[in-house]
Coordinates of all heavy atoms in Angstrom, one line a residue:
M1 N -104.2 -22.9 50.0 CA -103.1 -22.6 50.9 C -103.0 -21.1 51.1 O -103.0 -20.3 50.2 CB -101.8 -23.1 50.2 CG -100.6 -23.0 51.2 SD -99.1 -23.7 50.4 CE -98.2 -22.2 50.0
T2 N -103.0 -20.7 52.4 CA -103.0 -19.3 52.7 C -101.5 -19.0 53.2 O -100.8 -19.8 53.7 CB -103.9 -19.0 53.9 OG1 -103.6 -19.7 55.0 CG2 -105.4 -19.2 53.5
V3 N -101.2 -17.8 52.8 CA -99.8 -17.3 53.2 C -99.9 -16.5 54.5 O -100.7 -15.6 54.6 CB -99.2 -16.4 52.1 CG1 -97.9 -15.9 52.5 CG2 -99.1 -17.2 50.8
D4 N -99.2 -17.0 55.5 CA -99.2 -16.3 56.8 C -98.2 -15.1 56.7 O -97.0 -15.2 57.0 CB -98.7 -17.3 57.8 CG -98.9 -16.7 59.2 OD1 -99.1 -15.4 59.3 OD2 -98.9 -17.5 60.2
V5 N -98.8 -14.0 56.2 CA -98.0 -12.8 56.0 C -97.3 -12.3 57.3 O -96.2 -11.9 57.3 CB -98.9 -11.7 55.4 CG1 -98.1 -10.4 55.3 CG2 -99.4 -12.1 54.1
N6 N -98.1 -12.4 58.4 CA -97.6 -11.9 59.7 C -96.3 -12.7 60.1 O -95.4 -12.2 60.5 CB -98.6 -12.1 60.8 CG -99.6 -10.9 60.7 OD1 -99.3 -9.8 60.1 ND2 -100.8 -11.1 61.1
R7 N -96.4 -14.0 59.8 CA -95.3 -14.9 60.2 C -94.1 -14.5 59.4 O -93.0 -14.4 59.9 CB -95.7 -16.4 60.0 CG -95.0 -17.3 61.0 CD -95.5 -18.7 60.8 NE -95.2 -19.2 59.5 CZ -94.2 -20.0 59.2 NH1 -93.5 -20.6 60.2 NH2 -93.9 -20.4 58.0
I8 N -94.3 -14.4 58.1 CA -93.2 -14.1 57.2 C -92.6 -12.7 57.6 O -91.4 -12.5 57.7 CB -93.7 -14.1 55.7 CG1 -94.0 -15.5 55.3 CG2 -92.6 -13.5 54.8 CD1 -94.7 -15.6 54.0
Q9 N -93.5 -11.8 57.9 CA -93.0 -10.4 58.2 C -92.2 -10.5 59.5 O -91.1 -9.9 59.6 CB -94.2 -9.5 58.4 CG -93.8 -8.1 58.6 CD -95.0 -7.1 58.8 OE1 -95.9 -7.6 59.4 NE2 -94.9 -5.9 58.4
R10 N -92.7 -11.3 60.5 CA -91.9 -11.4 61.7 C -90.5 -12.0 61.5 O -89.5 -11.6 62.0 CB -92.7 -12.3 62.7 CG -93.3 -11.5 63.9 CD -93.6 -12.3 65.1 NE -94.3 -13.6 64.7 CZ -95.6 -13.7 64.5 NH1 -96.4 -12.7 64.6 NH2 -96.1 -14.9 64.2
S11 N -90.5 -13.1 60.7 CA -89.3 -13.7 60.4 C -88.3 -12.8 59.7 O -87.1 -12.8 59.9 CB -89.5 -15.1 59.7 OG -89.1 -15.0 58.4
L12 N -88.9 -12.0 58.7 CA -88.0 -11.1 58.0 C -87.5 -10.0 58.9 O -86.3 -9.6 58.9 CB -88.8 -10.4 56.9 CG -89.0 -11.3 55.6 CD1 -89.9 -10.6 54.6 CD2 -87.7 -11.7 55.0
L13 N -88.3 -9.6 59.8 CA -87.9 -8.5 60.8 C -86.8 -9.1 61.7 O -85.8 -8.4 62.0 CB -89.1 -8.1 61.6 CG -90.0 -7.1 60.9 CD1 -91.3 -6.8 61.7 CD2 -89.3 -5.8 60.5
D14 N -87.0 -10.4 62.1 CA -86.0 -11.1 62.9 C -84.7 -11.1 62.2 O -83.6 -10.8 62.8 CB -86.4 -12.5 63.3 CG -87.3 -12.5 64.5 OD1 -87.5 -11.4 65.1 OD2 -87.9 -13.6 64.8
R15 N -84.7 -11.5 60.9 CA -83.6 -11.7 60.1 C -82.8 -10.3 60.0 O -81.6 -10.2 60.1 CB -84.0 -12.2 58.7 CG -82.8 -12.5 57.8 CD -82.4 -13.9 58.0 NE -81.1 -14.1 57.3 CZ -79.9 -14.1 57.8 NH1 -79.8 -13.8 59.1 NH2 -78.9 -14.2 57.1
R16 N -83.7 -9.3 59.8 CA -83.1 -7.9 59.6 C -82.4 -7.5 60.9 O -81.3 -6.9 60.9 CB -84.2 -6.9 59.3 CG -83.7 -5.6 58.8 CD -84.7 -4.6 58.4 NE -85.5 -4.2 59.6 CZ -86.2 -3.0 59.6 NH1 -86.3 -2.3 58.5 NH2 -86.9 -2.7 60.6
R17 N -83.0 -7.8 62.0 CA -82.4 -7.4 63.3 C -81.1 -8.1 63.5 O -80.1 -7.6 63.9 CB -83.4 -7.7 64.5 CG -83.1 -6.9 65.7 CD -83.9 -7.3 66.9 NE -83.7 -8.8 67.2 CZ -84.7 -9.6 67.4 NH1 -86.0 -9.2 67.4 NH2 -84.5 -10.9 67.7
E18 N -81.1 -9.4 63.1 CA -79.9 -10.2 63.2 C -78.8 -9.6 62.4 O -77.6 -9.5 62.8 CB -80.1 -11.6 62.7 CG -80.5 -12.6 63.8 CD -80.9 -13.9 63.2 OE1 -80.3 -14.3 62.2 OE2 -81.8 -14.6 63.7
L19 N -79.1 -9.2 61.2 CA -78.1 -8.6 60.3 C -77.6 -7.3 60.8 O -76.4 -7.0 60.8 CB -78.7 -8.3 58.9 CG -78.9 -9.6 58.0 CD1 -79.7 -9.2 56.8 CD2 -77.6 -10.2 57.6
F20 N -78.5 -6.5 61.4 CA -78.1 -5.2 62.0 C -77.1 -5.5 63.1 O -76.1 -4.8 63.3 CB -79.3 -4.4 62.5 CG -79.9 -3.5 61.4 CD1 -81.2 -3.6 61.0 CD2 -79.1 -2.6 60.7 CE1 -81.8 -2.8 60.1 CE2 -79.6 -1.8 59.7 CZ -81.0 -1.9 59.4
E21 N -77.5 -6.5 63.9 CA -76.6 -6.8 65.1 C -75.3 -7.3 64.6 O -74.2 -6.9 65.2 CB -77.3 -7.9 66.0 CG -78.3 -7.3 66.9 CD -79.2 -8.3 67.6 OE1 -78.9 -9.5 67.4 OE2 -80.1 -8.0 68.3
T22 N -75.3 -8.1 63.6 CA -74.0 -8.6 63.0 C -73.1 -7.4 62.6 O -71.9 -7.3 62.9 CB -74.2 -9.5 61.9 OG1 -75.0 -10.6 62.3 CG2 -72.9 -10.1 61.3
V23 N -73.8 -6.5 61.8 CA -73.1 -5.3 61.3 C -72.5 -4.5 62.4 O -71.4 -4.1 62.4 CB -74.0 -4.5 60.4 CG1 -73.4 -3.1 60.1 CG2 -74.3 -5.2 59.1
A24 N -73.4 -4.3 63.4 CA -73.0 -3.5 64.6 C -71.8 -4.1 65.3 O -70.8 -3.5 65.7 CB -74.1 -3.3 65.6
R25 N -71.8 -5.5 65.4 CA -70.7 -6.2 66.1 C -69.4 -6.0 65.3 O -68.4 -5.8 65.8 CB -71.1 -7.7 66.2 CG -70.9 -8.1 67.6 CD -71.1 -9.6 67.8 NE -71.7 -10.3 66.8 CZ -73.0 -10.7 66.8 NH1 -73.8 -10.4 67.8 NH2 -73.5 -11.4 65.8
V26 N -69.6 -6.2 63.9 CA -68.4 -6.1 63.1 C -67.8 -4.7 63.2 O -66.6 -4.5 63.3 CB -68.7 -6.4 61.6 CG1 -67.6 -6.0 60.7 CG2 -69.0 -7.9 61.5
E27 N -68.7 -3.7 63.2 CA -68.2 -2.3 63.3 C -67.5 -2.1 64.6 O -66.5 -1.4 64.7 CB -69.4 -1.3 63.1 CG -69.7 -1.1 61.6 CD -70.9 -0.1 61.4 OE1 -71.5 0.2 62.4 OE2 -71.1 0.2 60.3
D28 N -68.1 -2.6 65.6 CA -67.4 -2.5 67.0 C -66.1 -3.1 66.9 O -65.1 -2.6 67.5 CB -68.3 -3.2 68.0 CG -69.4 -2.3 68.6 OD1 -69.4 -1.1 68.2 OD2 -70.2 -2.8 69.3
D29 N -66.0 -4.3 66.3 CA -64.7 -5.0 66.2 C -63.7 -4.1 65.5 O -62.5 -4.0 65.9 CB -64.8 -6.3 65.5 CG -65.4 -7.4 66.4 OD1 -65.6 -7.1 67.6 OD2 -65.7 -8.5 65.9
L30 N -64.1 -3.6 64.4 CA -63.2 -2.7 63.6 C -62.8 -1.5 64.3 O -61.6 -1.1 64.3 CB -63.9 -2.3 62.3 CG -64.2 -3.4 61.2 CD1 -65.0 -2.9 60.1 CD2 -62.8 -3.9 60.7
R31 N -63.8 -0.9 65.1 CA -63.4 0.3 65.9 C -62.4 -0.1 66.9 O -61.4 0.6 67.2 CB -64.7 0.8 66.5 CG -65.1 2.2 65.9 CD -66.0 2.9 66.8 NE -67.2 2.1 67.2 CZ -68.3 2.0 66.4 NH1 -68.3 2.7 65.3 NH2 -69.3 1.3 66.7
W32 N -62.6 -1.3 67.5 CA -61.7 -1.8 68.6 C -60.3 -2.0 68.0 O -59.3 -1.6 68.6 CB -62.2 -3.1 69.2 CG -61.4 -3.5 70.4 CD1 -61.6 -3.2 71.7 CD2 -60.3 -4.4 70.4 NE1 -60.7 -3.8 72.5 CE2 -59.9 -4.5 71.7 CE3 -59.6 -5.1 69.4 CZ2 -58.7 -5.3 72.1 CZ3 -58.5 -5.9 69.7 CH2 -58.1 -6.0 71.1
L33 N -60.2 -2.6 66.8 CA -58.9 -2.8 66.2 C -58.3 -1.5 65.9 O -57.1 -1.3 66.1 CB -59.1 -3.5 64.9 CG -59.3 -5.1 65.0 CD1 -59.7 -5.6 63.6 CD2 -58.1 -5.7 65.5
D34 N -59.1 -0.5 65.4 CA -58.6 0.8 65.1 C -58.0 1.5 66.3 O -56.9 2.1 66.2 CB -59.8 1.7 64.6 CG -59.7 1.9 63.1 OD1 -58.8 1.2 62.5 OD2 -60.5 2.6 62.5
T35 N -58.7 1.4 67.4 CA -58.2 2.2 68.6 C -57.3 1.4 69.5 O -56.5 2.0 70.2 CB -59.5 2.6 69.4 OG1 -60.2 1.4 69.8 CG2 -60.3 3.6 68.7
N36 N -57.3 0.1 69.4 CA -56.5 -0.7 70.4 C -55.3 -1.4 69.8 O -54.3 -1.6 70.4 CB -57.3 -1.7 71.1 CG -58.3 -1.0 72.0 OD1 -58.0 -0.5 73.0 ND2 -59.6 -1.0 71.6
V37 N -55.4 -1.8 68.5 CA -54.3 -2.6 68.0 C -53.5 -1.9 66.9 O -52.3 -1.8 67.1 CB -54.9 -3.9 67.3 CG1 -53.8 -4.8 66.8 CG2 -55.7 -4.7 68.4
E38 N -54.1 -1.4 65.9 CA -53.4 -0.9 64.8 C -52.5 0.3 65.1 O -51.3 0.2 64.8 CB -54.4 -0.5 63.7 CG -55.1 -1.6 63.1 CD -54.3 -2.5 62.2 OE1 -53.8 -2.0 61.2 OE2 -54.1 -3.7 62.5
P39 N -53.0 1.3 65.7 CA -52.2 2.6 65.8 C -50.7 2.4 66.2 O -49.8 2.7 65.4 CB -53.0 3.5 66.8 CG -54.3 2.9 66.7 CD -54.2 1.5 66.5
E40 N -50.5 2.0 67.5 CA -49.2 2.0 68.0 C -48.3 1.1 67.2 O -47.3 1.5 66.7 CB -49.2 1.6 69.5 CG -49.7 2.7 70.4 CD -50.9 2.2 71.2 OE1 -50.8 1.2 71.9 OE2 -52.0 2.8 71.0
A41 N -48.7 -0.2 67.1 CA -47.8 -1.2 66.5 C -47.6 -0.8 65.0 O -46.4 -0.7 64.6 CB -48.5 -2.5 66.6
A42 N -48.7 -0.6 64.3 CA -48.5 -0.3 62.9 C -47.9 1.0 62.6 O -47.0 1.1 61.8 CB -49.9 -0.4 62.2
E43 N -48.3 2.0 63.3 CA -47.8 3.4 63.0 C -46.4 3.5 63.2 O -45.6 4.1 62.4 CB -48.6 4.4 63.8 CG -49.4 5.3 62.9 CD -50.3 6.3 63.8 OE1 -49.7 6.9 64.6 OE2 -51.5 6.3 63.5
E44 N -45.9 3.0 64.4 CA -44.5 3.1 64.7 C -43.7 2.4 63.6 O -42.7 3.0 63.1 CB -44.2 2.4 66.0 CG -43.9 3.3 67.1 CD -43.7 2.6 68.4 OE1 -43.0 1.6 68.5 OE2 -44.3 3.1 69.4
G45 N -44.1 1.2 63.2 CA -43.3 0.6 62.1 C -43.4 1.3 60.8 O -42.5 1.4 60.1
Q46 N -44.6 1.9 60.6 CA -44.9 2.6 59.4 C -44.0 3.9 59.3 O -43.3 4.2 58.3 CB -46.3 3.0 59.3 CG -47.0 2.5 58.0 CD -48.5 2.6 58.1 OE1 -49.0 3.5 58.9 NE2 -49.2 1.8 57.4
E47 N -44.0 4.6 60.4 CA -43.2 5.8 60.5 C -41.7 5.5 60.2 O -41.0 6.2 59.5 CB -43.3 6.5 61.8 CG -44.4 7.5 61.8 CD -44.7 8.0 63.2 OE1 -43.7 8.1 64.0 OE2 -45.8 8.4 63.5
E48 N -41.3 4.4 60.8 CA -39.9 4.0 60.6 C -39.6 3.6 59.1 O -38.6 4.1 58.6 CB -39.6 2.8 61.5 CG -38.2 2.6 61.9 CD -38.1 1.4 62.9 OE1 -38.5 1.6 64.1 OE2 -37.6 0.4 62.5
N49 N -40.6 2.9 58.6 CA -40.4 2.5 57.2 C -40.4 3.8 56.3 O -39.6 3.9 55.4 CB -41.6 1.6 56.7 CG -41.4 0.2 57.2 OD1 -40.2 -0.2 57.6 ND2 -42.4 -0.6 57.3
I50 N -41.4 4.7 56.5 CA -41.5 5.9 55.7 C -40.2 6.7 55.8 O -39.6 7.2 54.8 CB -42.7 6.7 56.1 CG1 -44.0 6.0 55.7 CG2 -42.6 8.1 55.5 CD1 -45.2 6.5 56.2
A51 N -39.7 6.8 57.1 CA -38.5 7.6 57.3 C -37.3 7.0 56.5 O -36.5 7.7 55.9 CB -38.2 7.7 58.8
R52 N -37.3 5.6 56.6 CA -36.2 4.9 55.9 C -36.3 5.1 54.4 O -35.3 5.3 53.7 CB -36.2 3.5 56.3 CG -35.0 2.7 55.9 CD -34.9 1.3 56.5 NE -35.0 1.4 58.0 CZ -35.4 0.4 58.8 NH1 -35.8 -0.7 58.2 NH2 -35.4 0.5 60.0
L53 N -37.6 5.0 54.0 CA -37.8 5.1 52.5 C -37.4 6.5 52.1 O -36.7 6.7 51.0 CB -39.3 4.9 52.3 CG -39.7 4.6 50.8 CD1 -39.2 3.3 50.4 CD2 -41.2 4.6 50.7
L54 N -37.9 7.5 52.8 CA -37.5 8.9 52.4 C -36.0 9.1 52.5 O -35.4 9.7 51.6 CB -38.2 9.9 53.4 CG -39.7 10.1 53.2 CD1 -40.2 11.0 54.3 CD2 -40.0 10.6 51.8
A55 N -35.4 8.5 53.5 CA -33.9 8.6 53.6 C -33.3 8.0 52.4 O -32.3 8.6 51.8 CB -33.4 8.0 54.9
R56 N -33.8 6.9 51.9 CA -33.2 6.2 50.8 C -33.5 7.0 49.5 O -32.6 7.2 48.7 CB -33.9 4.8 50.6 CG -33.4 3.8 51.6 CD -31.9 3.6 51.6 NE -31.5 2.9 50.3 CZ -30.4 3.2 49.7 NH1 -29.6 4.1 50.2 NH2 -30.1 2.6 48.6
L57 N -34.7 7.5 49.4 CA -35.0 8.3 48.2 C -34.1 9.5 48.1 O -33.7 10.0 47.0 CB -36.5 8.8 48.3 CG -37.5 7.7 47.9 CD1 -38.9 8.3 48.2 CD2 -37.4 7.3 46.5
D58 N -33.8 10.1 49.3 CA -32.9 11.3 49.3 C -31.5 10.9 49.4 O -30.6 11.8 49.5 CB -33.4 12.2 50.4 CG -33.2 13.6 50.1 OD1 -33.0 13.9 48.9 OD2 -33.2 14.4 51.0
D59 N -31.2 9.6 49.4 CA -29.8 9.2 49.5 C -29.1 9.8 50.8 O -28.0 10.4 50.6 CB -29.0 9.6 48.3 CG -29.5 8.8 47.1 OD1 -30.1 7.7 47.3 OD2 -29.4 9.2 46.0
R60 N -29.8 9.8 51.9 CA -29.2 10.4 53.1 C -28.7 9.3 54.0 O -29.3 8.2 54.1 CB -30.2 11.2 53.8 CG -30.6 12.5 53.0 CD -31.1 13.6 53.8 NE -31.4 14.7 52.9 CZ -30.5 15.7 52.7 NH1 -29.4 15.7 53.3 NH2 -30.8 16.6 51.9
C61 N -27.7 9.6 54.7 CA -27.0 8.7 55.6 C -28.0 8.4 56.8 O -28.5 9.3 57.4 CB -25.7 9.3 56.1 SG -25.0 8.4 57.5
E62 N -28.1 7.1 57.1 CA -28.9 6.7 58.3 C -28.3 7.2 59.6 O -28.9 7.3 60.6 CB -29.2 5.2 58.3 CG -30.3 4.8 57.4 CD -30.7 3.3 57.6 OE1 -30.0 2.7 58.4 OE2 -31.6 2.9 57.0
G63 N -27.0 7.3 59.5 CA -26.3 7.6 60.7 C -26.3 9.1 61.1 O -26.7 9.5 62.2
C64 N -26.0 10.0 60.1 CA -25.9 11.4 60.5 C -26.9 12.2 59.7 O -27.0 13.4 59.9 CB -24.4 11.9 60.2 SG -23.9 11.7 58.5
G65 N -27.5 11.7 58.7 CA -28.5 12.4 57.9 C -28.0 13.2 56.8 O -28.7 13.9 56.1
E66 N -26.7 13.2 56.7 CA -26.0 13.9 55.6 C -26.2 13.2 54.3 O -26.5 12.0 54.2 CB -24.5 14.0 55.8 CG -24.2 15.0 56.9 CD -24.6 16.4 56.6 OE1 -24.4 16.9 55.5 OE2 -25.2 17.0 57.5
R67 N -26.2 13.9 53.2 CA -26.3 13.3 51.9 C -25.1 12.3 51.6 O -24.0 12.7 51.9 CB -26.4 14.4 50.8 CG -26.5 13.9 49.4 CD -26.8 15.1 48.5 NE -28.2 15.4 48.4 CZ -29.1 14.7 47.7 NH1 -28.7 13.7 46.9 NH2 -30.4 15.0 47.7
I68 N -25.5 11.1 51.1 CA -24.4 10.2 50.8 C -23.8 10.6 49.5 O -24.5 10.7 48.5 CB -24.9 8.7 50.8 CG1 -25.5 8.4 52.1 CG2 -23.8 7.8 50.4 CD1 -26.3 7.0 52.1
P69 N -22.5 10.7 49.4 CA -21.9 11.1 48.1 C -22.2 10.2 47.0 O -22.2 8.9 47.2 CB -20.4 11.1 48.4 CG -20.3 11.2 49.9 CD -21.5 10.5 50.5
A70 N -22.5 10.7 45.8 CA -22.9 9.9 44.7 C -21.8 8.9 44.3 O -22.1 7.8 44.0 CB -23.1 10.8 43.5
A71 N -20.5 9.3 44.5 CA -19.4 8.3 44.2 C -19.6 7.1 45.1 O -19.3 6.0 44.6 CB -18.1 9.0 44.5
R72 N -20.0 7.3 46.4 CA -20.1 6.1 47.3 C -21.3 5.3 46.8 O -21.2 4.0 46.8 CB -20.3 6.6 48.7 CG -20.6 5.5 49.7 CD -20.4 5.9 51.1 NE -21.0 5.0 52.1 CZ -20.5 3.8 52.4 NH1 -19.4 3.4 51.8 NH2 -21.0 3.0 53.3
L73 N -22.4 5.9 46.4 CA -23.5 5.2 46.0 C -23.3 4.4 44.7 O -23.8 3.3 44.4 CB -24.8 6.1 45.8 CG -25.4 6.6 47.1 CD1 -26.4 7.6 46.9 CD2 -26.0 5.4 47.9
D74 N -22.4 5.0 43.8 CA -22.0 4.4 42.6 C -21.3 3.1 42.9 O -21.5 2.0 42.3 CB -21.1 5.3 41.7 CG -22.0 6.3 41.0 OD1 -23.2 6.1 40.9 OD2 -21.4 7.2 40.4
A75 N -20.4 3.2 43.9 CA -19.5 2.1 44.3 C -20.4 1.1 45.1 O -20.1 -0.1 44.9 CB -18.3 2.5 45.1
M76 N -21.3 1.6 45.9 CA -22.1 0.7 46.7 C -23.5 1.2 46.8 O -23.9 1.9 47.7 CB -21.5 0.6 48.1 CG -21.9 -0.6 48.9 SD -21.5 -0.5 50.7 CE -19.8 -0.7 50.6
P77 N -24.3 0.8 45.8 CA -25.7 1.3 45.7 C -26.6 1.0 46.9 O -27.6 1.7 47.1 CB -26.2 0.6 44.4 CG -25.0 0.1 43.7 CD -24.0 -0.2 44.7
T78 N -26.2 0.0 47.6 CA -27.0 -0.4 48.8 C -26.6 0.4 50.1 O -27.2 0.2 51.1 CB -27.0 -1.9 49.1 OG1 -25.6 -2.3 49.3 CG2 -27.6 -2.7 47.9
A79 N -25.6 1.2 49.9 CA -25.1 1.9 51.1 C -26.2 2.8 51.7 O -26.9 3.5 51.0 CB -23.9 2.8 50.7
V80 N -26.3 2.7 53.0 CA -27.3 3.5 53.7 C -26.7 4.5 54.6 O -27.3 5.3 55.3 CB -28.3 2.6 54.6 CG1 -29.2 1.8 53.6 CG2 -27.6 1.8 55.5
T81 N -25.3 4.5 54.7 CA -24.6 5.5 55.5 C -23.5 6.1 54.7 O -23.0 5.5 53.7 CB -24.0 4.8 56.8 OG1 -23.1 3.8 56.4 CG2 -25.1 4.2 57.7
C82 N -23.0 7.2 55.2 CA -21.8 7.8 54.5 C -20.6 7.0 55.0 O -20.7 6.1 55.8 CB -21.7 9.3 54.9 SG -21.4 9.5 56.6
V83 N -19.5 7.3 54.4 CA -18.3 6.6 54.7 C -17.9 6.7 56.1 O -17.6 5.7 56.8 CB -17.1 7.1 53.8 CG1 -15.8 6.3 54.1 CG2 -17.4 7.0 52.3
D84 N -18.0 7.9 56.7 CA -17.7 8.1 58.1 C -18.5 7.3 59.0 O -18.0 6.6 59.9 CB -17.9 9.6 58.4 CG -16.8 10.5 57.8 OD1 -15.8 9.9 57.3 OD2 -17.0 11.7 57.8
C85 N -19.8 7.3 58.8 CA -20.7 6.5 59.7 C -20.5 5.0 59.5 O -20.5 4.2 60.4 CB -22.2 6.8 59.4 SG -22.6 8.5 60.0
A86 N -20.2 4.6 58.2 CA -20.0 3.2 58.0 C -18.7 2.7 58.7 O -18.7 1.7 59.4 CB -19.8 3.0 56.5
A87 N -17.7 3.6 58.7 CA -16.4 3.3 59.4 C -16.7 3.2 60.9 O -16.2 2.4 61.6 CB -15.4 4.3 59.1
M88 N -17.5 4.2 61.4 CA -17.8 4.2 62.8 C -18.6 3.0 63.2 O -18.3 2.4 64.3 CB -18.6 5.5 63.1 CG -18.5 6.0 64.5 SD -18.5 7.8 64.5 CE -20.2 8.1 64.1
R89 N -19.5 2.5 62.4 CA -20.3 1.4 62.7 C -19.4 0.1 62.7 O -19.6 -0.8 63.5 CB -21.4 1.2 61.7 CG -22.6 2.1 61.9 CD -23.7 1.9 61.0 NE -24.8 2.9 61.2 CZ -26.0 2.8 60.7 NH1 -26.3 1.7 60.0 NH2 -26.9 3.7 61.0
E90 N -18.5 0.1 61.8 CA -17.6 -1.1 61.8 C -16.7 -1.1 63.0 O -16.5 -2.2 63.6 CB -16.7 -1.0 60.5 CG -17.3 -1.7 59.3 CD -16.5 -1.4 58.1 OE1 -15.3 -1.4 58.1 OE2 -17.1 -1.2 57.0
R91 N -16.3 0.0 63.5 CA -15.5 0.0 64.7 C -16.4 -0.3 65.9 O -15.9 -0.7 67.0 CB -14.9 1.4 64.9 CG -13.6 1.6 64.0 CD -12.8 2.7 64.6 NE -13.5 4.0 64.7 CZ -13.5 4.9 63.7 NH1 -12.9 4.7 62.6 NH2 -14.2 6.0 63.8
G92 N -17.7 0.0 65.8 CA -18.6 -0.2 66.9 C -18.7 1.0 67.7 O -17.9 2.0 67.6
P93 N -19.7 1.0 68.6 CA -19.9 2.2 69.4 C -18.8 2.5 70.4 O -18.2 1.5 70.9 CB -21.3 1.9 70.1 CG -21.4 0.4 70.1 CD -20.6 0.0 68.9
G94 N -18.5 3.7 70.6 CA -17.5 4.1 71.6 C -16.3 4.4 70.8 O -15.2 4.2 70.8
Ligands
ZN101 ZN1 -23.2 9.6 58.1

């Protein structure tokens, strides 16, 4: 039995080309996702989340950005606004 080296080599080269094409396609897809989908949608939400997170870490009012008094946070740990802004929100805009 003889081994057809040329045939095997050709088939391996074919396989390699297929793999390269697959990788190239996947990379294209990832690039497309990077440039077309992720940035706006994800970043906007992310910035909002980060801003909110930082605001929470710093115990700052979401309404006016002032520091929320510790006494208020003691009474209401989930408070995201100072008393003034909370009252204003309850009354509604205007
Ligand atoms: Zn406030």
Side-chain angles (χ1 to χ4, degrees):
M1 191 177 104
T2 60
V3 177
D4 189 343
V5 175
N6 282 335
R7 209 175 65 104
I8 291 171
Q9 189 183 31
R10 250 200 320 277
S11 105
L12 283 174
L13 285 173
D14 275 355
R15 185 90 189 97
R16 192 177 70 160
R17 203 188 54 226
E18 271 172 31
L19 285 170
F20 272 126
E21 279 170 7
T22 302
V23 168
R25 232 186 346 258
V26 168
E27 280 182 349
D28 275 353
D29 283 352
L30 288 175
R31 250 197 305 277
W32 187 87
L33 280 174
D34 254 5
T35 54
N36 293 288
V37 179
E38 295 287 300
E40 286 121 59
E43 244 174 53
E44 252 176 47
Q46 240 167 22
E47 269 172 30
E48 207 173 288
N49 283 340
I50 290 168
R52 193 170 300 156
L53 195 68
L54 287 175
R56 289 297 295 142
L57 283 174
D58 212 17
D59 294 334
R60 293 202 178 267
C61 171
E62 275 191 357
C64 62
E66 289 297 316
R67 180 170 275 278
I68 300 173
R72 175 164 167 73
L73 286 171
D74 278 346
M76 198 192 286
T78 57
V80 291
T81 61
C82 66
V83 179
D84 287 347
C85 289
M88 207 143 71
R89 282 184 184 194
E90 268 169 40
R91 279 201 304 270

